[in-house]
Amino acid sequence: MIDRETFVELMSGVCAPVTVVTTATADGRPHGSTVSSFTSLSLDPPLASFALDRGSGLLPHLHQGARVGVNILAAHQHTLAASFARRCPGTGSKFDGITWTTRAGLPHLPDSAGWTAGRVERHVPGGDHVLLVISVEEAHSTPAAPLVYLRRSFGTYSGLPAGG
């Protein structure tokens, strides 16, 4: 078994999309968190997944059948990523001072590079995290450059020149 530091260093070299996963409680209160583990899982049926730390404040709101939105952040939204990555103090909300709307009944961050909404199909235990499998019901993408995370910093994607 490798040590934690070696594994963390290895995984820091894996480029990951930066998303803000959101949901709303029955009384309409928004909840969200920055997630860099979002990925497609299946085309037929359309499934996606992401992982949350077992101690995440968002996890208790995402039971099986819960509605969930995924805001795929654009390169210019790195401050939003940092805001939603922090723990919320006291009774405040990560949405305080943030411009957001409601889309498909879920908190949505305008100007994101993409958006998807669906329902939590199941939880899969995975060490200190839980993998959530999402049944995708709605999707929208834009040509905006995506925000990515690599080597503990934010950046964006750029293609190689033709023939490169």
Side-chain angles (χ1 to χ4, degrees), residues 48-72:
S49 68
F50 60 87
L52 291 175
D53 184 283
R54 288 185 180 276
S56 167
L58 181 60
L59 188 57
H61 302 289
L62 295 177
H63 53 81
Q64 187 173 353
R67 302 238 333 113
V68 61
V70 180
N71 298 270
I72 301 163

Side-chain angles (χ1 to χ4, degrees), residues 21-132:
V21 174
T22 62
T23 195
T25 56
D27 63 1
R29 286 185 326 181
H31 296 273
S33 188
T34 299
V35 172
S36 61
S37 58
F38 179 70
T39 190
S40 64
L41 181 61
S42 168
L43 292 176
D44 188 17
L47 300 173
S49 68
F50 60 87
L52 291 175
D53 184 283
R54 288 185 180 276
S56 167
L58 181 60
L59 188 57
H61 302 289
L62 295 177
H63 53 81
Q64 187 173 353
R67 302 238 333 113
V68 61
V70 180
N71 298 270
I72 301 163
L73 298 187
H76 70 277
Q77 293 178 304
H78 54 89
T79 55
L80 278 177
S83 293
F84 279 91
R86 66 176 167 69
R87 294 229 183 251
C88 193
T91 59
S93 168
K94 292 182 182 180
F95 287 84
D96 291 346
I98 302 291
T99 300
W100 62 283
T101 62
T102 300
R103 184 171 182 166
L106 296 162
H108 174 255
L109 301 173
D111 302 321
S112 294
W115 162 259
T116 188
R119 292 195 184 277
V120 176
E121 286 283 318
R122 64 186 155 276
H123 289 192
V124 180
D128 58 3
H129 280 64
V130 175
L131 183 72
L132 288 87

Side-chain angles (χ1 to χ4, degrees), residues 2-11:
I2 65 169
D3 63 89
R4 179 184 169 95
E5 288 178 28
T6 301
F7 187 63
V8 167
E9 185 60 31
L10 170 72
M11 296 311 296

